[in-house]
């Protein structure tokens, strides 16, 4: 006797937003060598699929850094970066996997450390929005935006 095939239930999936943001806790050393938590917002937008924007909020102002998504992914497992942003895998004082991120500018240098699992979770969300190798950009829209900006100035 043949068994009936299982009945398939239709499943609807909500569309994945093209933009996402997640706060990550970074550890930095203060002037006295003590570890201080610093929250940074990591943002991703499918409209600029190669970039991750890291925003540090201060008292009334904020600082934004653009980092390549591929750079952040490589930094999970190997030393990478030779410009303003350098990353390398490490281990924190509790023996957990961590990523050290060094940001350099003419105004100074900031060395931070974050949990590998937190960075990995954020990057996994970006890959759900735009998988590796599927990055594209609408050149007509880019030219229109650039021309519009120059006309406004």
């Amino acid at each position: 006797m043949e068994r009936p095939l299982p009945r398939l239930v239709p499943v609807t999936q909500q569309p994945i937003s093209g933009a996402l943001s997640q706060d990550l806790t970074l550890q930095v050393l203060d002037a006295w060598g003590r570890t201080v938590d610093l929250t940074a917002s990591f943002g991703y937008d499918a409209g600029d699929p190669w970039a991750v924007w890291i925003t540090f909020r201060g008292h009334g102002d904020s600082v934004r850094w653009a980092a390549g998504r591929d750079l952040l992914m490589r930094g999970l497992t190997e030393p990478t970066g030779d410009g303003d942003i350098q990353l390398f895998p490490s281990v924190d004082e509790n023996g957990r996997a961590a990523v050290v991120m060094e940001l350099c500018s003419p105004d100074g240098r900031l060395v931070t450390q974050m949990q590998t699992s937190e960075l990995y979770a954020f990057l996994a969300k970006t890959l759900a929005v735009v998988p590796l190798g599927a990055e594209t950009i609408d050149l007509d829209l880019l030219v229109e935006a650039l021309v519009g900006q120059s006309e406004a100035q």
Side-chain angles (χ1 to χ4, degrees):
M1 176 175 215
E2 282 188 37
R3 298 168 104 182
L5 292 173
R7 186 170 157 227
L8 297 176
V9 178
V11 176
T12 59
Q13 179 179 354
Q14 295 295 322
I16 297 173
S17 170
L20 59 101
S21 178
Q22 179 176 335
D23 286 345
L24 299 182
T25 302
L26 310 177
Q27 288 82 39
V28 298
L29 292 179
D30 68 9
W32 297 275
R34 297 175 299 199
T35 301
V36 177
D37 287 345
L38 174 66
T39 301
S41 178
F42 282 58
Y44 182 77
D45 188 336
D48 187 3
W50 292 279
V52 170
W53 287 92
I54 305 168
T55 305
F56 299 94
R57 288 182 177 67
H59 300 287
D61 59 353
S62 61
V63 175
R64 292 182 71 198
W65 284 78
R69 181 172 72 163
D70 60 335
L71 178 82
L72 294 174
M73 284 191 273
R74 278 194 314 271
L76 292 169
T77 58
E78 64 187 73
T80 188
D82 57 2
D84 295 347
I85 301 176
Q86 296 180 22
L87 298 112
F88 56 91
S90 185
V91 177
D92 71 9
E93 65 274 1
N94 298 315
R96 296 176 298 197
V99 174
V100 173
M101 178 173 64
E102 181 177 347
L103 306 170
C104 296
S105 81
D107 296 325
R109 177 175 160 244
L110 176 66
V111 179
T112 68
Q113 179 174 278
M114 67 191 105
Q115 296 299 307
T116 299
S117 59
E118 288 186 16
L119 180 57
Y120 177 83
F122 171 76
L123 292 171
K125 291 175 189 174
T126 71
L127 294 172
V129 174
V130 179
L132 276 180
E135 300 95 339
T136 61
I137 192 159
D138 184 338
L139 291 177
D140 292 333
L141 187 61
L142 176 63
V143 169
E144 183 179 308
L146 293 172
V147 170
Q149 285 180 357
S150 65
E151 289 175 359
Q153 294 177 356

